[in-house]
Amino acid sequence: MSIVTPESGGTEPDISVVVIVYNDDRRLPVAVRSVLDQSLRTVEVIVVDDCSADGSYDTARALAAAHPRRVRALRLSENSGGCGEPRNHGMAAARGRYVMFLDSDDTLDRHACRNLLEAAERTGADLVSGRCVRVHTDSRHAKRIPWYPWLYGTTTTVESIADLPDLFVFDTLSTNKCYRRAFLVDHGLTFPRGIHYEDLLFSAEAYLAAARITLIPHTVYFWNVAEKTTAKSISNRRHEINNFTDRLEIHRRIDAVLDRRGLEELKLRKDIKFLKHDLVLYLRDLPFLDNDYRHRFARLARGYVQDFPQEAYDSLDAVHAICAYLLMREDWDHLMPAIDTLINRKKISAPLAERDGRIYWCDRHLDDPAAREVMDVTGLGYHGKPLEKMFLRNLLTRYAVRGGTVLLAGAVVNPLHTVPADADLTAELELRARRRSLRGYRFPVRTVRHEGDALTWEAAVPLARVFRPVGVLDEVWDVRLHLTADGQRTTSRITAGSVDLENAPALPVRPWLTRLVADRLAPEVSAKGHLAFRLTQHSTAAQRGRALVDRNLHGPAARAAKRTYRGLRAVRRDLTSGTRKVQVYQRVLLLLPVRKGTVVFESHLGKQYSDSPRALYEELRRRQMPVTAIWSYAGARPTGFPADAELVRRWSWRYLRALAQAEFWIDNQGFPLKLAKRPETTYLQTWHGSALKKMGFDQPAHRIMSEQAQRAYQQALDRFDHFLVRGEHDVRTLARAYRIPEHKLLRLGYPRNDALVRAAQDPRTPAPYPRRLAERLGIRPGRRVLLYAPTFRSRPDGRPRDFAFPFDIEAFAERFADRYTLLVRSHYLNRITLPPSVTGRVIDVTGEPDITPLLLLSDALITDYSSVMFDYALLRRPMVFYAHDWEEYSRDTRGTYFDLPAEAPGPVAHTEDELFAALDDLTSLSTRYEARLKEFVDRYGEYDRGDAAARIVDRFFAPTRQAP
């Protein structure tokens, strides 16, 4: 293959940017201009045309003629069929000390070259990488999505890619990087020829060869993506089997490089990413492709992934693993629903099967122990959802047009026969414009009935007679089915996988803006695989009319109108932003007069009506104190809050005004840190538990915060006027960790614990609400109640994780079925799922807003390291500590204030057998640990005396109250 190149001269540039182009003469000048306009002027452009059939090379030569010292134009004599060969020719012709790559349909940030060059020169890196942003050019507002942004939070330099494996695994682009040209030449780094996905291999080899790599937190590359175009990019041609073949070949070449270097950990991480990302890209398209493609795809995939180590499969979540298993066995009937759930993660797509108290994705393959493990979806909690909270698969089985009517039929999955056969069924279809501000249409469904594992339906929708879109503003319409069974309603989208919509007839329509903008309504498949409709132009007049509208929409007047509209939207967003709310709160709301007697209550950041704020509120109500009580709530709707209190949504304007004018703030965790408290307001911080694990400034993470961040955090803590403590342990730990001065401490105990102290003082008189709670939970009389309340568990990044039992809950239920009912209360941020096999013997009470009734109801507590131990000890009832991971927990980055196993007022179990043995005889536990339990209460809760709420109300709210 030969190259045609004009002569050029000039001094050596700092960076050569290789711009490759093929049949893209329209966008090429924009890409080149983004290089010529760089704030770093010593940059050259090398345009390499891959033998285009349009005017791309002529455009390139014109650009070179207009900028003779900065642009050169090269052309391959024949098309190479990929991006690798033109980039290689561009590298060979480069004169700069550094080399970058740019595609003709993308652009560089104006300061990209300067930022990358400065980082390379400062750190001596062979390769510098910056942030890439995907710009969805055909979305309404040019949606922008950063490419793996967590990699680019700060400037980072590493000596080996092994020190930053996520970069190797995830950021496989070659275009958001700057390479030292001598480094490329010395290592003979070139792109593979005649194959797609060349970036993956080139980037892998560059990462492995680089002696130093630097990442910078600056955007350098704009990757323009057009999803609605008919001419798909190479990476989006996943319906072509050769596309998958090329991807596998590239991965095999990378594997060979990793194997030669003995980099097993990198290979494992790459395998995991292949299963979770690369494979999923193709699975998404399988429902819309023919059987021949599916079989060839499955054979190719099986040939590659079957040799992956078991650790790669162990890292998959349930749905990923199910899809991989079913694909390997070409079980298309069960794979297609699994793919639907893979795309729509909250959707229940299969009828499910129950075996031996466990829930499985399907009833096939269960004779294989490995498949039984993969198919087990008990942990996803499908079986515990009521119908109104289920998002069910609704498969389109018919689409036809008769006159002006669309005939639709579908089948809604009925998991575990949640909808009984004798249920009263009704349904309606809804068409709603994707632009939410516009109206929708509803149509009754004429037939709904049970049919095997599904609820089938049929509808005739007279769209031509009823449907009148606006046109232009409401091009896309989504379809939903609202199904009601015995008064419970569930809403589903209609999965379009089994019906050919591409060749389905469109429907004539008459938009309000006339048929000159659209005259047909055509079915299409949404990005999530659901049925939708789009307004289109069929007649020549409509096509011309729409072209005219589009020209006007992009004309000067329209652009001005859009700027005005976007400006108004920006103003609206600004007025409701957190930053603006804080400013208005500080500058305006705090000037309003204080409303005497107004108390704002909040518990656990507005998530609950519970804890000491609740106990204080109820004491005020019991005494009929003349206060105006305001409770904050988080989320869309408040549940469980008192009817006689004013409710305000957290961070709403009403919430901010209430805080600004309140005489008292009472909460157990912290009102928003950025909201200042006026001097006339008294902030009573009740806190939410004594501490085992280190808190506040005692945590290493807080100590290494910047000085500015520490100062802002301290200012938020300084708002507390009073801080409740329940023992001198709190003074030594919490008060010190949060830097609470002595004069702010209230040694009164926790109001929430008053009921516990009173119950211990008079155990023969049980409180009425635990009895009512036992009836509501369905606890059988005569059984003793155990409460299992573990501490909060998080992922490595600090986010909550789903709760996983550290012991066999089914074995527990089997062993103690005749003696105990186990109540399980995970931390309110952790989600829990119980298998059906333990129904009636183990009950999830995580959703109970207040833990105090649960403590009163329980005969014994099982915990690990939760602060609930300090409260439950007040009842003088048995406690068992399951410290299965104490060494890990106590030696993590936070550490603990004391050695729990040495001081625990109950047996400390480290294994499941030890736990079960300890629970065998609760009576002996009470006797054995009575003295130690008393000592524990005296040490950690000496101020809990049963009258904390009364004493606080006397001090702050009584008519003759003491001065705070």
Side-chain angles (χ1 to χ4, degrees):
M1 186 178 293
S2 61
I3 282 192
V4 181
T5 173
E7 293 294 323
S8 62
T11 59
E12 178 184 274
D14 283 316
I15 297 179
S16 297
V17 180
V18 177
V19 182
I20 61 170
V21 61
Y22 176 69
N23 288 350
D24 196 18
D25 59 347
R26 182 177 60 85
R27 291 178 293 190
L28 176 61
V30 178
V32 172
R33 176 53 60 188
S34 76
V35 183
L36 297 176
D37 288 344
Q38 287 291 300
S39 56
L40 178 72
R41 305 305 297 170
T42 52
V43 179
E44 74 164 349
V45 184
I46 304 172
V47 182
V48 184
D49 175 57
D50 197 7
C51 197
S52 296
D54 67 354
S56 293
Y57 183 55
D58 291 337
T59 300
R61 287 195 300 176
L63 290 167
H67 307 277
R69 296 185 179 277
R70 301 194 64 195
V71 179
R72 286 184 285 157
L74 314 179
R75 190 186 194 197
L76 303 187
S77 59
E78 61 185 41
N79 180 253
S80 68
C83 300
E85 191 73 353
R87 285 179 181 157
N88 290 337
H89 284 289
M91 274 195 287
R95 296 181 291 114
R97 294 186 298 123
Y98 293 88
V99 177
M100 292 175 62
F101 303 104
L102 173 65
D103 292 344
S104 62
D105 53 347
D106 300 330
T107 57
L108 296 180
D109 178 83
R110 184 170 183 271
H111 304 291
C113 293
R114 180 179 297 280
N115 289 332
L116 290 167
L117 177 66
E118 288 179 353
E121 300 285 76
R122 184 176 66 253
T123 65
D126 292 324
L127 183 162
V128 181
S129 186
R131 189 193 303 264
C132 171
V133 175
R134 283 170 60 99
V135 182
H136 292 258
T137 56
D138 50 3
S139 68
R140 210 150 37 105
H141 302 295
K143 179 175 65 176
R144 298 186 171 207
I145 301 176
W147 185 251
Y148 299 114
W150 79 83
L151 292 169
Y152 296 97
T154 59
T155 298
T156 305
T157 298
V158 295
E159 306 297 324
S160 167
I161 190 61
D163 297 330
L164 192 58
D166 277 0
L167 182 64
F168 180 92
V169 172
F170 293 102
D171 189 357
T172 56
L173 301 177
S174 66
T175 48
N176 60 332
K177 297 171 178 62
C178 178
Y179 310 85
R180 192 181 300 275
R181 183 159 65 92
F183 158 72
L184 296 176
V185 172
D186 291 345
H187 291 274
L189 291 174
T190 59
F191 289 88
R193 296 167 171 82
I195 189 170
H196 298 316
Y197 300 107
E198 64 291 318
D199 266 22
L200 276 67
L201 181 57
F202 180 85
S203 295
E205 291 181 327
Y207 283 144
L208 293 169
R212 182 171 293 169
I213 300 169
T214 294
L215 278 64
I216 61 174
H218 305 291
T219 296
V220 299
Y221 197 88
F222 294 107
W223 178 2
N224 295 319
V225 181
E227 296 179 340
K228 299 172 186 175
T229 179
T230 54
K232 296 290 186 182
S233 65
I234 291 170
S235 60
N236 285 326
R237 296 176 196 162
R238 292 185 289 270
H239 59 286
E240 299 174 2
I241 198 66
N242 290 339
N243 184 286
F244 187 55
T245 303
D246 281 1
R247 186 184 286 265
L248 291 185
E249 175 59 25
I250 288 292
H251 274 278
R252 285 193 173 96
R253 295 185 191 183
I254 297 173
D255 293 344
V257 174
L258 295 174
D259 288 341
R260 285 198 300 271
R261 292 172 173 258
L263 298 171
E264 295 180 1
E265 180 61 29
L266 269 183
K267 170 68 164 56
L268 175 60
R269 287 173 177 257
K270 190 188 77 69
D271 289 345
I272 292 171
K273 194 242 185 176
F274 184 89
L275 292 172
K276 288 185 174 181
H277 174 73
D278 298 63
L279 190 62
V280 171
L281 289 175
Y282 294 85
L283 288 176
R284 295 169 66 99
D285 292 334
L286 276 190
F288 308 102
L289 298 171
D290 59 38
N291 287 332
D292 179 63
Y293 178 96
R294 293 178 185 177
H295 291 307
R296 295 171 67 191
F297 173 77
R299 186 173 64 253
L300 289 168
R302 185 165 52 245
Y304 181 59
V305 305
Q306 65 184 359
D307 295 328
F308 280 14
Q310 186 59 42
E311 297 95 313
Y313 292 97
D314 292 342
S315 71
L316 301 180
D317 61 28
V319 179
H320 274 109
I322 288 168
C323 286
Y325 181 91
L326 295 173
L327 175 66
M328 296 303 99
R329 282 145 189 82
E330 298 195 43
D331 183 350
W332 309 113
D333 290 340
H334 295 101
L335 175 59
M336 294 305 126
I339 292 173
D340 202 356
T341 294
L342 191 66
I343 299 171
N344 303 276
R345 297 311 293 264
K346 294 183 179 180
K347 184 183 288 189
I348 306 175
S349 298
L352 309 177
E354 183 175 348
R355 297 286 187 277
D356 304 320
R358 307 292 295 180
I359 305 300
Y360 298 93
W361 183 256
C362 62
D363 57 6
R364 290 187 60 184
H365 313 292
L366 298 185
D367 54 340
D368 176 5
R372 202 175 181 92
E373 183 176 348
V374 169
M375 295 293 167
D376 191 333
V377 292
T378 309
L380 296 181
Y382 293 150
H383 58 282
K385 290 180 179 289
L387 181 63
E388 59 264 26
K389 292 190 176 180
M390 289 183 172
F391 178 27
L392 300 176
R393 186 175 200 236
N394 183 358
L395 182 65
L396 184 67
T397 57
R398 185 191 183 196
Y399 180 93
V401 175
R402 184 178 300 160
T405 299
V406 177
L407 304 178
L408 299 171
V412 181
V413 69
N414 187 14
L416 300 172
H417 298 283
T418 299
V419 179
D422 59 351
D424 181 23
L425 302 176
T426 59
E428 64 176 359
L429 282 170
E430 179 187 23
L431 264 70
R432 179 165 291 278
R434 195 163 290 175
R435 183 170 288 187
R436 296 180 182 178
S437 60
L438 300 175
R439 62 172 293 192
Y441 294 85
R442 290 178 180 252
F443 304 92
V445 172
R446 64 188 181 191
T447 304
V448 191
R449 60 178 175 269
H450 273 84
E451 196 169 318
D453 289 328
L455 305 169
T456 61
W457 57 272
E458 297 175 356
V461 183
L463 284 180
R465 179 166 54 85
V466 176
F467 184 66
R468 290 293 306 276
V470 176
V472 181
L473 300 177
D474 53 356
E475 284 189 317
V476 182
W477 291 75
D478 293 312
V479 187
R480 292 171 175 83
L481 179 81
H482 303 292
L483 172 70
T484 302
D486 289 338
Q488 295 187 62
R489 182 170 119 153
T490 181
T491 298
S492 60
R493 303 291 297 273
I494 301 176
T495 299
S498 62
V499 174
D500 179 15
L501 295 179
E502 190 172 337
N503 298 310
L507 193 76
V509 291
R510 288 193 308 123
W512 289 107
L513 294 180
T514 79
R515 288 177 175 166
L516 289 177
V517 296
D519 60 355
R520 290 290 188 276
L521 187 70
E524 69 173 20
V525 181
S526 73
K528 295 284 188 177
H530 298 132
L531 172 66
F533 288 97
R534 180 179 294 275
L535 293 176
T536 64
Q537 303 79 42
H538 175 69
S539 67
T540 303
Q543 292 172 4
R544 290 174 179 170
R546 183 52 195 263
L548 178 62
V549 169
D550 286 342
R551 283 197 299 272
N552 288 330
L553 283 174
H554 295 90
R559 286 197 295 269
K562 288 178 183 178
R563 282 195 298 270
T564 301
Y565 172 70
R566 289 169 184 160
L568 292 173
R569 288 191 62 189
V571 169
R572 181 181 178 183
R573 283 195 302 269
D574 178 67
L575 289 175
T576 57
S577 68
T579 300
R580 183 63 65 196
K581 283 184 174 180
V582 170
Q583 290 175 347
V584 174
Y585 173 86
Q586 307 283 26
R587 299 174 185 176
V588 179
L589 298 181
L590 287 180
L591 300 178
L592 298 174
V594 171
R595 295 163 59 194
K596 291 293 184 181
T598 298
V599 188
V600 178
F601 294 90
E602 186 169 287
S603 179
H604 294 300
L605 309 180
K607 294 181 175 67
Q608 297 175 350
Y609 170 60
S610 65
D611 213 82
S612 291
R614 173 177 179 169
L616 286 173
Y617 169 81
E618 291 178 352
E619 178 68 11
L620 288 169
R621 282 290 175 259
R622 187 183 67 80
R623 296 202 203 178
Q624 298 182 339
M625 303 296 293
V627 298
T628 301
I630 300 174
W631 273 90
S632 93
Y633 69 91
R637 296 185 185 85
T639 56
F641 287 85
D644 58 349
E646 181 183 345
L647 303 183
V648 294
R649 186 173 181 177
R650 204 168 193 265
W651 273 111
S652 67
W653 286 111
R654 289 179 60 218
Y655 173 79
L656 298 177
R657 179 168 180 171
L659 287 176
Q661 294 190 271
E663 185 180 6
F664 291 94
W665 290 2
I666 298 178
D667 92 305
N668 67 349
Q669 198 158 336
F671 287 106
L673 300 182
K674 294 183 179 181
L675 299 183
K677 181 191 73 67
R678 64 201 306 166
E680 305 96 315
T681 300
T682 299
Y683 190 167
L684 180 58
Q685 175 54 253
T686 69
W687 205 240
H688 52 276
S690 298
L692 168 62
K693 203 164 190 177
K694 290 187 177 179
M695 307 289 285
F697 286 102
D698 286 348
Q699 299 179 60
H702 280 66
R703 291 198 296 269
I704 63 174
M705 288 193 308
S706 68
E707 183 177 342
Q708 180 182 1
Q710 289 199 34
R711 188 165 53 250
Y713 189 57
Q714 186 62 58
Q715 288 174 349
L717 297 172
D718 289 343
R719 298 176 303 172
F720 302 160
D721 293 301
H722 304 283
F723 189 88
L724 284 183
V725 294
R726 55 191 304 273
E728 287 304 306
H729 171 73
D730 291 353
V731 177
R732 294 188 298 270
T733 57
L734 292 173
R736 186 190 65 186
Y738 290 110
R739 300 175 181 175
I740 311 295
E742 173 66 29
H743 71 273
K744 291 187 177 183
L745 300 180
L746 292 181
R747 291 173 168 82
L748 300 175
Y750 286 169
R752 74 182 187 192
N753 288 341
D754 290 347
L756 304 180
V757 175
R758 289 195 294 268
Q761 292 170 347
D762 188 7
R764 293 169 299 177
T765 309
Y769 50 91
R771 286 201 306 271
R772 294 195 295 268
L773 176 62
E775 294 171 1
R776 178 162 58 80
L777 294 176
I779 297 174
R780 288 170 56 183
R783 282 191 182 176
R784 304 186 78 177
V785 177
L786 305 181
L787 175 64
Y788 176 44
T791 192
F792 172 69
R793 300 287 178 164
S794 65
R795 297 184 175 97
D797 62 4
R799 291 184 299 142
R801 72 185 187 202
D802 290 349
F803 175 78
F805 280 98
F807 57 89
D808 188 334
I809 189 63
E810 292 173 295
F812 177 96
E814 187 66 27
R815 178 164 176 168
F816 298 109
D818 297 331
R819 286 185 279 169
Y820 303 140
T821 295
L822 181 66
L823 307 181
V824 182
R825 182 184 175 85
S826 66
H827 191 278
Y828 69 91
L829 293 175
N830 295 128
R831 187 178 71 89
I832 187 172
T833 299
L834 295 174
S837 57
V838 302
T839 300
R841 295 173 291 175
V842 183
I843 302 171
D844 178 16
V845 293
T846 304
E848 294 292 324
D850 198 349
I851 197 174
T852 301
L854 297 171
L855 300 179
L856 291 167
L857 178 62
S858 304
D859 296 290
L861 173 73
I862 308 169
T863 188
D864 45 13
Y865 324 113
S866 171
S867 65
V868 73
M869 73 176 81
F870 300 104
D871 303 319
Y872 195 79
L874 298 170
L875 287 167
R876 311 299 173 96
R877 299 175 189 172
M879 288 192 285
V880 178
F881 297 85
Y882 187 38
H884 61 97
D885 60 349
W886 170 251
E887 295 299 320
E888 175 188 349
Y889 185 87
S890 60
R891 294 178 183 176
D892 72 359
T893 55
R894 283 175 65 176
T896 60
Y897 286 118
F898 63 90
D899 184 3
L900 176 64
E903 298 190 28
V908 179
H910 296 280
T911 67
E912 181 179 295
D913 289 341
E914 290 176 358
L915 172 65
F916 290 178
L919 295 172
D920 264 329
D921 190 356
L922 294 183
T923 304
S924 68
L925 288 186
S926 298
T927 305
R928 246 166 52 217
Y929 287 92
E930 182 178 6
R932 197 162 176 176
L933 189 56
K934 181 180 183 304
E935 181 184 340
F936 190 83
V937 172
D938 291 343
R939 183 181 302 138
Y940 297 110
E942 63 263 41
Y943 302 132
D944 275 323
R945 297 166 186 158
D947 59 355
R951 293 173 69 186
I952 290 170
V953 170
D954 286 342
R955 178 165 182 171
F956 294 99
F957 297 97
T960 57
R961 67 189 185 195
Q962 305 169 27

